[in-house]
Amino acid sequence: MLVSVLAGFASGALAPLIRKYFSVQVTGLILAIIPASIFIYLSSLAGTALSGTPVIEKVNWVPALGINFEFYLDGLSLMMSMLISGIGTLIFLYSSSYLAKYEDTGKFFAYLSMFMAAMLGVVLSSNLMTLFIFWELTSLTSFLLIGFKHKYEKSRYSALQALLVTGTGGIAFLAGILILYSITGTYSIPELAGFKDVIARDELAIPAVILILLGAFTKSAQFPFHFWLPNAMEAPTPVSAYLHSATMVKAGIFLMARLNPYLSANFVWSEVITYTGLVTMIFAALISLKQNDLKKILAYTTVSVLGILTFLIGLNSDYSLKTLGVFLLAHSLYKAALFLTSGSVDYATGSRDPFKLGGLLKKMPATGTAALISAVSMIGILPAFGFIAKEMFYTSVTFNNLFMTTGFLTAVILTYAALMAGVKPFLGKFQSPKETSETPVLMWIGPGVLATLSLLFGLFPEIFAGGLIRDNYKALSGLSTSYILKLWHGVNFELILSLITILCGIGLYLLRNKIFNMKIPDIKFIKPSFYYDVLFNGVLTVSKLQTKFLQNGSLRYYFVIIILFSLGLPAFVFFTGEGYKNVYLGEIPGIYEIVLGIIVLISVIVAVSAKSRFLVIAILGVIGYMISLLYILLGAPDLAMTQFAVETLTVVLFVLVIYKLPKFLTISAVKHRIRDSLIAISSGVFITLLMISVYSVEMKSEMKEYFGDNSYILANGRNIVNVILVDFRALDTLGEITVLGIAAAGVFGLMKVLKKDSK
Amino acid sequence: MSETILSVMLITGAFFILISAIGIVKMPDIFMRMSSSTKASTLGIALIVIAAGIFFNDIGVFSRVVLISLFLLITAPVAAHMLGKAAYLEGDKLWENTQFDRYKEYIEKEEKEIK
Amino acid sequence: MKFEFVLVFTLSIIGLSMLIVLYRIIKGPSIADRVVGLDLLMASTLAFLAVFAMLSKSAVFLDAGIVLSLIAFIGTIAFAYYLQVRRKNE
Amino acid sequence: MNSIILKTAVKYLFPVLVLFSLFLLIRGHYEPGGGFVGGLVAASSVILYLITEGVEKTKRLMKFEPVYYVAGGLAISLLSGLVPVILGMPLLTGTWSNIEAPVLGKLGTPLVFDIGVYFLVLGVSTKIVISLAEED
Amino acid sequence: MDFLISLPVILPLFSAILCVFLRDYVKAQKTINFVTASLLLVISFTIGHFVYHDDIIVLNSGNWSAPFGIVLVADLFASSMLMVSNLVYFAVVFYTLNNIDKEREKLYFYPLLNTLMMGVNGAFLTGDIFNLYVWFEVMLISSFVLITIGGEKSQLEGAIKYVTLNLISSFFFLTGVGFLYGLTGTLNMADLSVQISNSEPSVLIDTVSLLFLAAFGIKSAVFPLFFWLPASYHTPPVVVSAIFAGLLTKVGVYSLIRVFTLIFTQNTSFTSDILVVIAGFTMITGVLGAAAQNDIRRILSFHIVSQIGYMIMGLGLNTALALTGSIFYILHHIIVKTNLFLVGGLVDKVKGSFALPKLGGVYKAYPFFGVLFLISALSLAGIPPLSGFWAKFTIAKAGVDISAYFIVGVALLTGILTLFSMMKIWNEAFWKEQPADCVQVIKVTKKDLVLSVLPVVLLASVTVLIGVFAGSVFEYAEKVTAGLTDSTNYINAVLRRISE
Amino acid sequence: MNKVFLNLALTVAWVFLTGEFTLTNFVEGFIVAVIVLIVSDYVVGQNLYIKKLPIFVMFVFFFIKELVVANLKVAYDILTPRNLMKPGIIKVPLDAKSDLELTILSNLITLTPGTLSLEISKDKEFLFVHCMYVTDEKEMISGIKNGFEKRLLEVLR
Amino acid sequence: MILLLSILAGILVSAGIFLILRRSLVKIILGFALLTHAANLIIFTSGKITPGKAAFIKKGSESLSEPFADPVPQALILTAIVISFGITAFALVLFKKAYKATGSDDIDDYNTTDSIKHNI
Ligand code: NA
Ligand code: NA
């Protein structure tokens, strides 16, 4: 299985290369081989997988973190992976013609292949972390595909939106996984079976469940995160068909289905899922009423169906879980086909507005037939596979009036949408912005196959899908079933409801112009995308404000903050810990020492307040000389000497530089001066106290004694300080002289360049 | 005995240094400040430093002390001259009671010649 | 003991002189005034460390004095140079 | 600078300063001094020369670009630290000859190291001052 | 063998000196510089190899044993930093071959690059706290000069902030060292560790440890000490920015980790709390700062700040796993950040700007640049399976393990905002079409392009490889951490004690 | 010739500085001095003749006397509240010609309290001196000419 | 003595910090100069104080055992002095150049590189 996934990525990497040497069509055909082979390979495994023992594969990756490639193939993953590879093959074929006029098709195929590989990774993973990794990759490849027509701002906007929404969801998902791990100690999905009790009881399980669901909901465009999906229709149509109806958006459904047996132990799980699904199905359906773009209609109905699927998981009943597999399969088949046919219509007529299209069947017989069959399936008319799905759906909801009503209304609107998207353009009076003819073979073969399958699955459900659904059920519930799929259940309540649904749907269709022209107040704040924009711009505004406040360009402000933090923190510890206890003040200084102190004090006051630049330099010299003198008093002649020399040289440098600088004219505001004085004085006081306190700690330096004992004997020197500099710690000195050398180079560099400028 | 001599040298030296310090504060213009300070301090320091040389009673130390004194004697007047000249050219005012200024005449003549 | 007192006394006088000189450095008013003050202060420093060398009976401190005597001169000359260059540039 | 007095004085002071700087350098291991302060005094003498005689003459005096003093000094120090490595000892190990010179004391790599420091400091200080003075 | 670990320090110095002597021969300097970078790469990996397979290598400089002389120590942490840093340096030098203007080359550019590496390597290797200060200064002054040469107005303005704010850090560092010596009487880090752990817990030690936190915090550019970084990193030529971005702040983080795992281990709960708070703010303020920018280099600069937050978070969480995460993060970040700057340089090279509003169409014209950018950018944002994901994941997991949910939440949110910023660059510079009035005719020869892209490819492949072989890298980082959490081996090696 | 002399002088200075009066030290100092001379080759272009030792000694005593007397005079003036100064800048015609002569002369004048050499005119004909106590300008000038200058030139020529 | 030294260091820190918070470039440099002095004093006193006893081994003896000033901080300070000399020299020239380039020595005018006002 890992091989299949890797093959997908590899073919993605090779796609641009292949495209370089071949035409679009040939490239598409070549690349279609990969999903086709995967499909065949998976079919070959189907026997084993369906026999009840999942096919398992494990390759170590980061064992220390418990993250490995762990795959397994059971009913659920088999169904998903066959959809992915199967529809994938058709999409490649379709694209190879559809994209003929596009640029950068190499990249397109690359993205598409990689997407397919990532998606396979998601559904085949049996390890939450592996799943997560592929999950993120699907978001990413989807980003690239949505933004494929990246010269349009709308495309870039939509791509980023999809990425951010699903990315945020992904991060929530990750957080959920981590918390779940901290409860269970495993990332392995099957191993979760042993922790159902813990998951039911542990208080951390609730946040874990909610976070994981956030991941699933964003990915599957559940309310209120659904808004990115219709925007994602900026992508070329094959992408919409593949990602945004048949596969990627189902990843969320897959995730919920996959975890349902284990996490449903927690009461939050099913509740949240059920109602989210319920709201999503009706809400999205309602929005689809107001659309006049084939792709948008299909997009919203997709969201609606995703709601239904979510809802079915949430019900978590014996029947709803069986229904889930059927509905998912049926939807993938008809919706992918409808997307493709609407793409073909667009390709052929240049329009996607169903109000402006009609009677295309004659001109585009193959496409039209496929669309009609798919629409039939979508509406749920015998003998299409969609019929079974809808019957089963109704059976699942009859126990609750609210569910049933909502389900019914949704189904009515879906019927209407199917009529708009799959019937209206092809039947009735011919209507098209331009001359039309049938699309190339490769473009109708895909929808054709899908439509055929919708029919075949409907006619012979048990043969085609029976095993799959039963095993899928087993994966979803953990229980075996001998349920037999049947097209015809006889005349029952569901059938009658279904008939009413269709009639109401047709009714709506007839009223379509009225509905479309109905004035619905445009209330911004009920649109979730409004919140996305608000949040997006809010973050930008906050970031600007924050930057304006923090990184405001004022060096003085930076200094203030840094000093407050750097000295405030130690001072806090020092004072709260009473570090100043037990201080020893030493002998009283001699009178001449005090005089030196006074000189420094006066000088410092002058340095701070002087208006004359020159005075300040002189005073700097005074301070330096006085400190040198202090070094003499303290028994450090080398230090004093060096300080004398350095001080003088520094003064010389100041003198050479300073007359080119202006006088001290800029005076800061009084409040700043007060603030700065407070900071400065408290810093000084802290340093003084800390010095005395540190001094009072008894310390015996081994180094001092060692140097005193050995400087002459081992290092042949009597001036211990110098011996330290050139021998004991010569490495310091080597670094130190390097610093000096670099400084000289720096001065040289600075001088040089401005000479060039002044020319 | 030698301690007495040293004491005298030290106190005299300190006295001269003090004098020059007072002089530099008291004198009314820069030139007289320099006149009164540079020399007095040089003398005072020389006295003190030589006292130190005697005190340590070591020829190496003494030679160093002589070097310091000699160096002071050479550099102090050069520095004073340079500063005095600079101060004058800078336009530092002469004391109001200064009787005459032959230098000014010279400079004015020089400037005329340049023009 | 007595001699030590003389040394401390001398040090104190020198210290006092330094304080007085500091007044001139701060007061100015001209740059030359300040430089003269600084020059005198450095000279006093020299005396100070010579006396302190005696007080601590350690001749090594005198070596610092040599450096000071050599170097202080250069500082003063640099100031004079500065005054000249400034005049030229203005 | 345009002063006969200064020029003449510096003529005689300059060699004394250089001598003294060498003295500080060489005696550093026994008495106060060392390569750094020695280098600073040497640089001071060059600065004095620069003030009196101007940049061009100072450059001639230095013979080489100050930068070469910097690099040369660094090279001397570094190589003195590498000598022991050739002899199989760790980096910067003080390696001593048996010759004992009267003023220098024992001859060894630490002194060479200090000589490197001396030249570097000389080079750096003069480089900086010359760069600044050249701008005027 | 011991001598080997002094080479990362003295070889660059040697090369710098040689370059100064050859200052009129730019080509020779270039060659020397490239050879040095290659040698450094080989040497550091050799050191890494020996340390990994044998033991800690200790060099007593001057042949003075540990607390008395200065020791250079290559343990796993130091050697890992050494390897990654010199790898990055090699890539940058490679990039420099074709991407530095002639004017700068004459202003001791190559010697400065070498001394910068001398400082960086010295800081990693030294086992002496004051010597660390010296290497910091070597590194800093080199960076001061590198950031200013060229002398453009923005460079000078940025440099003033960079220089002054780093000087204040040096002040805290120096006073910290002083106080530490006053309390313990030693400067050797292993000895300090012994002295401090043998003595009673002391308020004064805690106080001083916070001075180090401030000093290294400024160098690492954590909140609220980071101001110098966004003010300056975008001003010098991109090669300089690239190497700064990769290495300099990480030396600060390295020192923080070193000091707080080896020396100040007594009162960890207090410092840990502070570090975690700092980490949170650092991540958020950095990433928000980036969101407000519209220039590739400025965005990347702010992101350095934000990413430092993760490393500090790992240190602050103070568990073995967290520390492992930190180390993983550092190793990954050095490579990725440098590479992003280099990619920025490529964009500038072909489009003549770093400003997003003026850019566009890079992806169309140079799709390969797009791939290189995406690899690094997505890695930075923590998209699996690239290196950044593992780093973030490890730290987040460590946080969840000790129920530090809030900070994990912040970390994860920062991740999504990082993704936003990266994709903003992608949208604006790569996807968007270049505004017509901004299109410049820039001639780039094929050879030039290939030479410039190669180092970027090198670093990008390393990022990918870290992701692919995350298992091995993670185990390595775990080993590094083991050496940090239990410093017995380090101390025994440095103080030449025979371990039990 | 003068270089050898300077060499010796420097050697002696070295011996003094080092404080070790041994033969080897002397040799070492000699070598160092040679190095210094080579280094400062460009600097020293002028000969230094000190032949007249007795005159020199006499001169030194004269100078010390002048120094002390003047110092006391100034000290008195500083310590007493009344100011006795009668300052002025005088112009002294010069007999001294060489730079060395001029320098030593002006330095000695400066060293004496109360007087400060300000400038030597470009043609080296005049010395401008600031004096604190000028009762009579002519007397002052002749005092300098017959005192310092005459004695100094005796020593130097 | 320690009292005097620590008060001096405190005063130098106060003045240094006050100066680096001023608007003029020159004052900032001066502030750092004072801070350097303070840091050096701090390091010095860390080694405890032994006034007047320089760390020299006298001629004739082989080691130094009587009380003497700790040479370690002295060596550290010497290194620090040298480093800060180099950095001060560089900073001085940098500030001068910055003044030339921007025409202002008011640090408040130096905000084009990071103030959001100057964003593109
Ligand atoms: Na040192
Ligand atoms: Na030194």
Side-chain angles (χ1 to χ4, degrees), chain F residues 94-129:
Chain F
L94 292 170
D95 290 327
K97 286 287 165 283
S98 79
D99 286 355
L100 187 65
E101 288 164 4
L102 293 174
T103 305
I104 296 179
L105 176 64
S106 77
N107 277 359
L108 291 177
I109 290 171
T110 306
L111 259 181
T112 322
T115 47
L116 174 68
S117 313
L118 281 180
E119 177 70 305
I120 298 168
S121 69
K122 273 188 184 155
D123 50 13
K124 299 180 185 174
E125 292 293 334
F126 299 102
L127 177 67
F128 297 94
V129 183

Side-chain angles (χ1 to χ4, degrees), chain B residues 24-25 33 64 71 90 92, chain C residues 24 30 33 43 63 70 86:
Chain B
I24 204 182
V25 172
R33 280 175 208 141
R64 264 170 251 185
F71 213 85
E90 178 80 352
D92 278 26
Chain C
R24 178 53 70 201
S30 75
D33 281 309
D63 288 278
L70 290 174
R86 192 176 73 152

Side-chain angles (χ1 to χ4, degrees), chain A residues 369-698:
Chain A
T369 313
L372 287 172
I373 295 172
S374 301
V376 163
S377 183
M378 182 168 168
I379 297 168
I381 300 176
L382 271 167
F385 195 46
F387 171 75
I388 304 178
K390 197 157 72 180
E391 297 296 286
M392 290 179 77
F393 170 66
Y394 277 147
T395 313
S396 306
V397 294
T398 42
F399 72 98
N400 180 311
N401 284 335
L402 171 68
F403 296 168
M404 197 175 75
T405 322
T406 317
F408 167 75
L409 287 175
T410 309
V412 169
I413 301 174
L414 290 182
T415 307
Y416 160 78
L419 292 171
M420 287 297 283
V423 178
K424 167 85 174 58
F426 298 98
L427 298 182
K429 216 173 74 191
F430 178 77
Q431 218 183 337
S432 166
K434 65 170 194 191
E435 263 316 299
T436 342
S437 60
E438 183 58 283
T439 54
V441 189
L442 287 173
M443 279 180 72
W444 59 256
I445 201 155
V449 168
L450 291 169
T452 314
L453 286 176
S454 282
L455 270 182
L456 285 175
F457 273 57
L459 290 168
F460 313 103
E462 182 52 29
I463 295 170
F464 280 91
L468 207 56
I469 297 301
R470 275 191 297 279
D471 218 58
N472 187 39
Y473 170 79
K474 193 184 166 195
L476 293 176
S477 65
L479 305 169
S480 297
T481 179
S482 53
Y483 182 78
I484 303 289
L485 271 185
K486 278 188 292 191
L487 180 62
W488 183 249
H489 287 258
V491 181
N492 53 16
F493 175 71
E494 289 85 350
L495 185 69
I496 295 162
L497 197 62
S498 203
L499 278 173
I500 301 173
T501 311
I502 296 169
L503 289 175
C504 291
I506 294 171
L508 274 182
Y509 176 71
L510 296 174
L511 294 170
R512 63 182 180 270
N513 287 321
K514 275 199 181 145
I515 294 172
F516 187 76
N517 294 327
M518 210 159 54
K519 286 247 155 50
I520 299 170
D522 186 33
I523 309 165
K524 265 194 278 181
F525 54 84
I526 59 162
K527 288 186 191 162
S529 67
F530 169 73
Y531 295 99
Y532 168 84
D533 289 334
V534 165
L535 195 65
F536 188 90
N537 294 323
V539 168
L540 283 186
T541 312
V542 167
S543 74
K544 279 194 182 117
L545 280 177
Q546 181 226 251
T547 312
K548 208 167 167 182
F549 173 69
L550 270 180
Q551 193 77 30
N552 62 7
S554 162
L555 180 64
R556 298 190 293 143
Y557 163 87
Y558 300 162
F559 271 135
V560 166
I561 295 202
I562 286 179
I563 289 165
L564 282 179
F565 180 88
S566 304
L567 290 177
L569 212 53
F572 173 76
V573 172
F574 178 75
F575 287 109
T576 53
E578 299 189 4
Y580 45 81
K581 275 195 305 195
N582 315 322
V583 293
Y584 162 75
L585 291 180
E587 329 70 80
I588 297 162
I591 181 154
Y592 51 91
E593 290 164 343
I594 293 177
V595 170
L596 286 189
I598 293 174
I599 293 178
V600 176
L601 175 65
I602 296 174
S603 307
V604 163
I605 293 170
V606 172
V608 168
S609 56
K611 299 259 181 320
S612 150
R613 290 168 296 164
F614 196 85
L615 171 57
V616 169
I617 299 175
I619 280 295
L620 185 67
V622 173
I623 295 173
Y625 289 123
M626 290 307 109
I627 285 176
S628 312
L629 211 44
L630 266 180
Y631 289 144
I632 293 275
L633 298 185
L634 294 168
D638 274 289
L639 211 47
M641 223 180 212
T642 311
Q643 183 81 61
F644 279 139
V646 165
E647 210 55 53
T648 308
L649 269 176
T650 310
V651 167
V652 170
L653 293 184
F654 265 98
V655 164
L656 284 173
V657 166
I658 208 157
Y659 73 91
K660 304 217 167 134
L661 294 177
K663 299 203 167 77
F664 298 151
L665 291 175
T666 46
I667 307 293
S668 43
V670 176
K671 66 170 184 190
H672 285 161
R673 273 181 283 161
I674 294 171
R675 175 197 68 187
D676 298 346
S677 320
L678 286 176
I679 294 171
I681 290 169
S682 24
S683 306
V685 169
F686 169 55
I687 291 289
T688 300
L689 290 175
L690 186 57
M691 270 177 87
I692 297 177
S693 311
V694 169
Y695 190 80
S696 308
V697 172
E698 220 175 291

Side-chain angles (χ1 to χ4, degrees), chain A residues 61 67 103 107 111 150 167-168 171 181 187 204 536 543 546 551 553 573 577 701 727 729 732 742 748 753, chain E residues 64 108 128 130-131 150 161 181 203 210 227 270 285 288 363-364 385 393 397 405 412 416 420 431 468 471:
Chain A
W61 193 4
I67 301 173
E103 292 174 1
K107 288 175 195 165
Y111 304 153
H150 48 72
T168 310
I171 271 170
Y181 181 88
Y187 295 119
L204 278 177
F536 188 90
S543 74
Q546 181 226 251
Q551 193 77 30
V573 172
S701 171
D727 200 338
R729 296 182 68 86
D732 273 349
I742 302 163
F748 171 80
V753 171
Chain E
W64 302 108
Y108 302 114
D128 185 285
F130 186 78
N131 195 236
K161 287 173 182 163
Y181 180 77
V203 180
L210 291 173
F227 309 109
F270 177 70
T285 50
L288 285 179
Y363 190 50
K364 196 161 178 75
F393 174 78
K397 177 159 184 338
Y405 300 112
L412 293 179
I416 197 78
F420 161 71
W431 262 2
V468 171

